[in-house]
Amino acid sequence: MSAKRKLVIVITEGLDNERASVAWSIANGGIKSGLEVHVFLTSSAIDWVRKGAADHVHLNPKDPPMIEMIQFVRDNGCPIYVCPPCAAVRGYSQEDLLDGVIITGSGAIHKQFIEGAAALTF
């Protein structure tokens, strides 16, 4: 049996940009298609996983609410990584983020690329 195909989604857009909705939607679709999905958040995108920040955001009425898409990723055990300098510049620590989100450098996704992961950036 072959290994599960991997997809890394890099999100750079925050709470006010519909491209982020597209990114989380594609992450959800990848999971439903059987891909091993990893999400790496940089810049203002880290606000998506700050506790309470996405609870009432619904950028695209054709997509589920953002918190539901984020929760689907979490519920399926897909890692969500946060860029350490991006968190630090905003004053965020691990305690500010949703449970299970990992503050770590880009080495976490480089490992996935070495193992053959495809990448999408939003």
Side-chain angles (χ1 to χ4, degrees):
M1 183 173 178
S2 65
K4 194 178 227 188
R5 300 283 314 255
K6 296 182 179 191
L7 174 62
V8 173
I9 298 180
V10 179
I11 307 174
T12 63
E13 301 295 341
L15 301 175
D16 62 347
N17 194 307
E18 189 178 352
R19 285 181 286 199
S21 181
V22 173
W24 288 105
S25 180
I26 288 174
N28 280 223
I31 294 164
K32 291 174 185 174
S33 296
L35 295 172
E36 179 182 317
V37 174
H38 297 250
V39 176
F40 189 71
L41 305 175
T42 67
S43 305
S44 61
I46 67 173
D47 283 327
W48 289 113
V49 294
R50 185 171 41 86
K51 290 177 181 171
D55 289 356
H56 303 288
V57 180
H58 197 173
L59 295 175
N60 183 335
K62 300 294 184 180
D63 281 334
M66 296 300 293
I67 195 64
E68 289 180 19
M69 291 194 285
I70 295 166
Q71 190 61 45
F72 185 79
V73 171
R74 295 173 65 215
D75 288 347
N76 281 278
C78 299
I80 301 174
Y81 308 114
V82 167
C83 162
C86 301
V89 77
R90 288 165 176 78
Y92 299 166
S93 66
Q94 192 66 56
E95 294 75 33
D96 296 309
L97 306 178
L98 298 173
D99 291 341
V101 171
I102 305 161
I103 297 176
T104 189
S106 60
I109 59 171
H110 295 161
K111 180 181 184 295
Q112 305 313 313
F113 298 141
I114 290 167
E115 295 175 2
L120 294 173
T121 302
F122 296 87

